[in-house]
Structures are given as structure tokens and as C-alpha cells.
Amino acid sequence: MDAKLAQFSTLSQKDKGPAFISLIPHILAQPPASIPNDLHTLVDTVVNQDAGGLVVGRQVLSELVKVLGEGAIKDVELRKRVVEDTLATVQPRIVSYEEQVNSLRFQLADLLEEEEDWSGAARVLMGISLDSGQRSISDAEKLRVYVRIVRLLLEEEDSVQAETYYNRAALLVHSTSDRETILQFKLCQARISDYSRKFLEAASRYHELSYVGEIDEDERRHMLMAAVTCAVLAPAGPNRSRVLASLYRDERSADLPTYNILSKMFLDHILRSAEIKEFEKSLKPHQLAKIAISSNDRLASVGNDAVDTDPNTSIRTGPSTVLDRAVMEHNLLASSNIYNNITFRGLGALLDLTPGAAETMARKMIEQGRLRGTIDQVDKLIWFETNREEDDAQGKAGGLGDVEEAEDTGAPFTKRWDAQIRLTAAHVESIVQHLTEKNLVAIAVEAK
């Protein structure tokens, strides 16, 4: 090999390229054990020793990249070794051979991805120079590379670095009309929201993707299930209720293993620990991440419970995981539909928290507009408010039409009682109308 290389180095400039290229098939025909060393010698001679200059070096390296890409080396490990060695050999002069190096990196990334070495493949793609002035790369091509890096990093659950490349991709997504790339970007968008604990946003994006016909049916079912999981983990409140309603009304949801907890969440039923443990088995590691309790909340919980000596009182001062917090907030919201008011101690027993921690959670939800109510710290009571607008709407829909507003007496319990009577009368009226239309009941007319 050395003799041939020395001989070819003395040829004229126009003959050097074809001569060196003719060695590639000769080397690949040899026993596998000698292929890496001989290819290394060839590449080192034409690239680093200037045996034929830059033009010859690019011709030989381009031919080698082409042959490797066509699968001339069937052994995956051998091919991987050759590509890695070639990249290491060219590294000192990478600026001069940028196009060939990028092609080799794509090949190496493919090999690593087949081995499920997600982080290794991502690191290889990160080394590709996309903003060099020597070779013009379209925005659409850059977008494909960035989306692929994000996808690989998310497989490795490295959401922090994935978000960096996602932000770069977001600036270029307008540059392509390729449907596959756009769908991959949207999936990355949903997963980034999921990993960032923006569960409401993630649930909406997953649900949207679950309707896309180009995606495989099993994948769409997986996305629907991911949407349900994120909706359950989202903070309780009106926004989550809308997402839950959309998922609950999706007829495909009834076939999911998580349908039971979805229906209970939507119908505002209180969740029990056995149901939560079953659901917890389907969560991913980042969805089971521990959450820290702020020092202010911890102090408030301890300070409010200083005089509580009941041995049966829980000692937990707050939720420990994302799921824990979502379930506690849901149960608090569900209890507001059952009770007019509840003591701190009673709410703490319901949520498995200290009375002070239960008050802190209720206070936060009221402040954020996710719970309607007031807190009486003197009597240690939480008063829940009903949604008056919904009651009025239901009364009008029952068949009575516009109901004349009662005089505002300023008495909330009197108003609630009146609303319940009005709603009951509307329901009775509606039932009678339906029965009459079906001739199931006859209304007697008094003779005069």
C-alpha cells in the first residue's frame, strides 16, 4: 500500500485523482481486518500530507463518502469504525473538507440511531456546520437537522438542550412546506411542553396530532393517551376543564386504559388512592418528578398548625410530585361542588395534608382564579361559591325562557335556594313537554 501511494504521488496532477480513487475498491476487496488501516493511510496521505493538493483530496474523500453511503461495507461495526476514523483523520483540516465531513456525520448519526444511541447521534449532528459561508444550506435543510436533533435529545430525555435546538427550529419552521417535517416539528413542540410541565399546552397539541390522518393509527392512539395523561397532570381550573371535556367527548378515549380517571376528572368526582396508584404506573420519569415546597408555604403550613395536637392529623405540608399536586387540586375543586363550606381540618383530611397546607393550596387556587370561594381564617373555614351564570343558563334552557331576575337582597343562601327551585321547575317543565310530545301523558283541561 505504501509503495503504491508513493508511486501515485509522483504522477501528474490530473492523473493523481483517478489513481488514488482506484485504490478504494481494491482496499474494500481485502479481508475486513486490513480495511480500516489501509483506508486510514489513504485518507491521511491525500488529506494531511498534500499528496495531490486540495482538489485531489476532495475527489478521493467524496468518492469514499459515496462508496460508504452505498453500503460497500456490510458489517455495521466495521463501517462505523471506518467513518469515525475518517472523521478523526480529516479533523485537522475540517474547514477545507466541510461538505464531505457533513456527509460522513450524517452517515455516522444514522448508524448510532440504529443502535439507539440517541445522545451519541445527537452530538454527531450538533457538530455539523450549518452556517458556514463555504456551502449554502437552505433553511428547510437546517430545519430538518434541528428537528432531528430535538427528537434524539428527547429520546434521551435531555429536555433542556432539546429546547435550545427547538427554539432554533421554531425560527425556521415557516421556510418549509414539507408535511413530514412540519408534523415532526409539531410532535417535538408537544413533547417539549410535556417535559417543561406545560401540561395544558401539551395536552392540546397531542390531541390535535391524534387527528392527523398521515400518522400511523397506533401512533395516533399513543398521542391521544399522552393527551389524556397531560390533561390529568395539568393544574385544576377552567382551562383544564375545557381540555378534559374535549378529550372526554372524543369517542376514541373510551378504549384507553386511562379512561376511568379521565371520566372522573371530567365529572368532578373525588379520586381515591387506589385509582391514582394504577394511573401512576403509566407515567414517564419526568412526569413523576419531585417538586419542592417553597419556604414561605412551609412556614405558613407550620405556623397555622402550631396549636393542632390531633394525632390523626396528616403531617404532610404539601404535594411531593406533579401527579400528587394535580390530584390534590382536583379533589379540592371537586369538593367545592359537594360542600358549601369546609374546615381547614376537614379539607386537610380529604387531601392528606396538614390544615395549614390545605388552606395554602386553596388560597393559591383562589388567587389564580381556578377556584371560586373565600377564606375565613378566624373560624378556619373555606366558603365555596357556585357559578351563578351556569345556573341561570341551565334554567333558561329548561323551557321557561327568560326568567325574571329576583330582587337582589344581598342574601347568598336565599339566592341559591331560589336558583335551585327555578332549576327544578325548569327540569319538570322540560320532562312534561317531552312526555306530551310522545303522547305518554295527557294534560287535563278543566271545564268551565
Side-chain angles (χ1 to χ4, degrees):
M1 175 59 67
D2 292 338
K4 287 185 178 180
L5 291 174
Q7 179 186 352
F8 292 162
S9 298
T10 61
L11 297 175
S12 62
Q13 190 68 20
K14 68 177 182 177
D15 296 329
K16 285 182 179 180
F20 282 121
I21 289 174
S22 67
L23 288 175
I24 295 177
H26 173 70
I27 293 172
L28 295 178
Q30 295 178 352
S34 61
I35 291 177
N37 291 333
D38 288 348
L39 284 178
H40 173 82
T41 303
L42 174 61
V43 174
D44 185 59
T45 300
V46 299
V47 172
N48 294 327
Q49 298 179 20
D50 288 330
L54 184 61
V55 174
V56 173
R58 284 178 174 171
Q59 288 176 347
V60 175
L61 201 56
S62 296
E63 181 64 22
L64 178 59
V65 170
K66 177 184 174 184
V67 170
L68 291 174
E70 292 173 349
I73 300 178
K74 302 300 182 184
D75 188 333
V76 176
E77 283 299 322
L78 180 59
R79 182 183 170 198
K80 177 183 171 184
R81 179 182 170 188
V82 168
V83 172
E84 289 176 336
D85 183 72
T86 304
L87 283 171
T89 305
V90 181
Q91 185 63 34
R93 302 194 61 185
I94 189 172
V95 176
S96 302
Y97 299 95
E98 192 175 279
E99 184 176 351
Q100 292 78 15
V101 167
N102 286 353
S103 298
L104 285 172
R105 285 187 174 276
F106 279 121
Q107 290 187 28
L108 182 56
D110 291 339
L111 293 172
L112 292 172
E113 191 170 351
E114 288 176 3
E115 296 176 355
E116 297 188 359
D117 183 0
W118 314 120
S119 61
R123 284 195 300 271
V124 169
L125 291 174
M126 289 177 197
I128 294 176
S129 178
L130 297 176
D131 298 316
S132 172
Q134 293 187 11
R135 177 170 172 258
S136 177
I137 301 177
S138 67
D139 287 345
E141 180 65 25
K142 291 179 184 178
L143 175 63
R144 279 193 290 271
V145 175
Y146 288 145
V147 168
R148 187 177 177 187
I149 292 173
V150 172
R151 182 172 54 81
L152 291 168
L153 289 171
L154 288 175
E155 289 293 338
E156 195 65 21
E157 298 196 351
D158 185 357
S159 59
V160 176
Q161 198 164 13
E163 190 166 3
T164 300
Y165 283 89
Y166 163 75
N167 291 334
R168 296 183 187 180
L171 298 174
L172 302 173
V173 70
H174 66 278
S175 64
T176 185
S177 57
D178 182 59
R179 183 67 174 165
E180 182 179 354
T181 304
I182 293 174
L183 287 176
Q184 287 181 347
F185 173 79
K186 287 185 175 181
L187 178 57
C188 289
Q189 199 173 33
R191 295 183 67 187
I192 286 287
S193 299
D194 188 354
Y195 277 93
S196 302
R197 300 183 190 174
K198 299 175 182 176
F199 293 118
L200 270 180
E201 184 179 326
S204 298
R205 296 189 188 283
Y206 278 132
H207 197 203
E208 178 187 348
L209 285 169
S210 72
Y211 285 112
V212 177
E214 293 96 327
I215 300 176
D216 182 71
E217 185 176 351
D218 289 339
E219 286 295 319
R220 280 187 281 140
R221 185 177 186 275
H222 178 74
M223 289 176 189
L224 180 62
M225 192 168 175
V228 172
T229 300
C230 288
V232 169
L233 295 174
N239 292 331
R240 190 190 68 162
S241 297
R242 283 190 284 271
V243 175
L244 287 173
S246 177
L247 290 167
Y248 181 77
R249 293 181 182 123
D250 190 327
E251 59 186 13
R252 301 171 298 166
S253 299
D255 298 327
L256 298 179
T258 53
Y259 180 72
N260 180 50
I261 197 166
L262 169 64
S263 61
K264 288 202 168 187
M265 283 272 188
F266 172 69
L267 298 171
D268 285 334
H269 293 173
I270 292 178
L271 298 170
R272 303 301 177 187
S273 58
E275 298 164 335
I276 301 306
K277 288 179 181 177
E278 186 65 28
F279 175 73
E280 192 175 6
K281 295 176 183 177
S282 66
L283 299 183
K284 296 178 180 178
H286 72 275
Q287 295 169 335
L288 292 170
K290 301 288 185 181
I291 56 176
I293 304 173
S294 69
S295 56
N296 289 339
D297 289 348
R298 187 178 289 107
L299 287 172
S301 300
V302 174
N304 291 338
D305 301 328
V307 297
D308 197 339
T309 58
D310 187 348
N312 296 322
T313 302
S314 173
I315 59 173
R316 296 181 64 190
T317 56
S320 57
T321 65
V322 175
L323 175 61
D324 216 9
R325 180 176 60 191
V327 171
M328 287 181 181
E329 290 182 350
H330 167 77
N331 284 344
L332 175 51
L333 201 61
S335 66
S336 70
N337 295 324
I338 300 173
Y339 304 108
N340 291 329
N341 59 61
I342 191 170
T343 62
F344 295 170
R345 184 191 297 275
L347 184 60
L350 179 66
L351 304 180
D352 190 22
L353 292 174
T354 64
E359 180 208 353
T360 299
M361 179 171 286
R363 171 176 54 79
K364 281 188 174 181
M365 292 182 67
I366 292 172
E367 286 175 352
Q368 296 166 0
R370 296 188 287 132
L371 176 67
R372 295 169 60 105
T374 56
I375 296 177
D376 184 343
Q377 290 185 320
V378 176
D379 293 332
K380 296 186 181 298
L381 280 174
I382 300 174
W383 289 87
F384 299 117
E385 297 177 5
T386 57
N387 193 334
R388 182 180 175 83
E389 293 178 2
E390 289 183 3
D391 290 344
D392 288 345
Q394 290 172 347
K396 293 176 183 178
L400 293 178
D402 291 336
V403 180
E404 183 180 353
E405 289 291 333
E407 180 183 356
D408 187 0
T409 60
F413 292 105
T414 303
K415 293 178 184 177
R416 187 176 301 176
W417 176 253
D418 290 345
Q420 289 173 347
I421 293 175
R422 184 170 65 250
L423 184 59
T424 302
H427 287 162
V428 171
E429 176 70 16
S430 177
I431 291 170
V432 170
Q433 286 182 358
H434 286 305
L435 293 174
T436 304
E437 290 171 0
K438 296 180 181 296
N439 297 320
L440 296 175
V441 65
I443 301 177
V445 180
E446 183 179 353
K448 294 185 179 179

